[in-house]
Amino acid sequence: MKYREIKADGFLSNFIECFWEYENTIQIQHCIIPDGCFDLIAEYKNEKLTQIKLTGVWTKPVNITLPKSTKLFAIRFKLISAEYIFQKEIKSILEKTQCLPINFWGIDTLKNDDLDLFAAELLNQINFSINNIKKIDERKISLFDLIYEKKMYNVSQLSKSTFWNSRQINRYFYKQFGFPLKTLLNIMRCNETYPEIANKKLYNTNQYTDQAHYIKEIKKYTGSTPRELAKNENDRFLQLSTLNKK
């Protein structure tokens, strides 16, 4: 399995987590665990572009099977991108994927052998979308910046820091994404533990009240215990496998 990421930088890092590529040589099963983002994925089979899809947000694990000789080029978006880049809500595809036209953003004209070039071409498209937006709500920029800092704020702290009423925040979250802010914060907290789990550190009470709470929360969002995640047999948990392949 081959995996690589290119991190976004500058102003666009407010909207994009990274560009990534994945390639396998044998059929493989993965369990995708929630990461607080959504993806635009171009899927190639035997070097031919077969589909482009937009994922919703995962709030629970999902099992997928990738046939051999599958290659993926993708963009991992932060949630604010739904409103400002795609200009739509994504609650309708929560826990789902949506197929897009094969010529979406001109992806069908791009080569699939150079992630750097793929990223550069699509950054131009995304920059164009952002530049055509008349106004971006600074409260939302601040809110998501704090969330993705992964410093484990609670809803009340985020509300005070962004001068945005917590009820209004949750109304926005339900309308755009289909779940409350607290769910995203729980997912991000779990994500903070994955590097430790990948390194076989299975005890984490820094962000949890005790070990039992830690295990319960990890299992809620991944379907597995920390010990099962750490074993990661046959690269089942893709995110944990990629921690060692960047």
Side-chain angles (χ1 to χ4, degrees):
M1 183 185 81
K2 173 186 175 182
Y3 180 86
R4 186 166 77 97
E5 287 184 3
I6 299 174
K7 289 288 186 180
D9 57 17
F11 181 69
L12 284 181
S13 66
N14 290 299
F15 302 90
I16 299 171
E17 177 65 26
C18 66
F19 293 83
W20 58 270
E21 67 175 320
Y22 167 99
E23 188 171 8
N24 63 10
T25 55
I26 61 172
Q27 178 170 297
I28 190 168
Q29 292 182 325
H30 291 302
C31 179
I32 307 300
I33 48 185
D35 62 5
C37 296
F38 67 99
D39 295 84
L40 176 70
I41 302 173
E43 183 173 324
Y44 301 84
K45 292 181 181 177
N46 298 313
E47 302 300 320
K48 182 180 179 181
L49 178 62
T50 56
Q51 64 175 332
I52 298 173
K53 58 188 178 181
L54 186 69
T55 75
V57 182
W58 307 112
T59 64
K60 54 188 177 183
V62 58
N63 294 308
I64 63 170
T65 300
L66 293 175
K68 67 178 182 179
S69 302
T70 295
K71 186 170 187 175
L72 308 176
F73 272 7
I75 313 174
R76 184 167 299 130
F77 288 100
K78 298 177 180 180
L79 297 196
I80 192 174
S81 297
E83 178 178 2
Y84 290 111
I85 294 178
F86 292 89
Q87 299 181 31
K88 60 184 287 186
E89 52 78 16
I90 55 172
K91 69 176 182 181
S92 57
I93 55 171
L94 178 65
E95 323 288 1
K96 301 176 185 176
T97 61
Q98 176 185 20
C99 289
L100 300 176
I102 205 73
N103 62 349
F104 185 81
W105 283 356
I107 290 174
D108 59 324
T109 67
L110 303 180
K111 294 182 179 180
N112 70 338
D113 59 353
D114 189 334
L115 179 63
D116 296 271
L117 183 59
F118 178 88
E121 292 287 344
L122 290 186
L123 278 173
N124 290 332
Q125 174 70 44
I126 294 167
N127 262 317
F128 179 79
S129 298
I130 292 292
N131 289 336
N132 279 318
I133 295 172
K134 292 182 179 179
K135 185 177 180 181
I136 297 176
D137 190 331
E138 291 298 326
R139 296 175 307 173
K140 294 172 184 176
I141 291 286
S142 296
L143 175 68
F144 286 105
D145 279 351
L146 290 170
I147 291 170
Y148 289 107
E149 279 181 3
K150 301 179 182 178
K151 292 186 177 179
M152 304 304 112
Y153 300 99
N154 60 37
V155 175
S156 177
Q157 290 170 327
L158 289 171
S159 175
K160 291 178 181 178
S161 295
T162 58
F163 304 100
W164 193 5
N165 182 277
S166 59
R167 289 185 179 180
Q168 293 176 329
I169 294 175
N170 275 320
R171 192 178 302 122
Y172 168 73
F173 263 72
Y174 275 113
K175 180 180 178 180
Q176 284 292 116
F177 315 118
F179 53 82
L181 171 57
K182 185 176 180 180
T183 296
L184 178 59
L185 297 180
N186 288 341
I187 289 170
M188 299 307 293
R189 179 166 59 176
C190 284
N191 268 254
E192 274 294 275
T193 70
Y194 298 153
E196 294 179 343
I197 291 174
N199 288 311
K200 314 303 180 185
K201 182 180 177 182
L202 307 180
Y203 301 91
N204 186 314
T205 57
N206 292 334
Q207 304 297 338
Y208 298 91
T209 55
D210 54 35
Q211 186 68 7
H213 181 219
Y214 164 59
I215 294 172
K216 180 180 178 181
E217 287 292 293
I218 295 298
K219 191 166 184 178
K220 177 179 179 180
Y221 290 103
T222 70
S224 301
T225 65
R227 191 171 300 279
E228 290 168 335
L229 291 172
K231 289 180 180 178
N232 199 16
E233 296 177 350
N234 300 316
D235 286 323
R236 179 187 172 201
F237 301 103
L238 182 58
Q239 285 102 319
L240 270 73
S241 298
T242 60
L243 287 172
N244 300 316
K245 291 181 170 65
K246 293 178 182 178

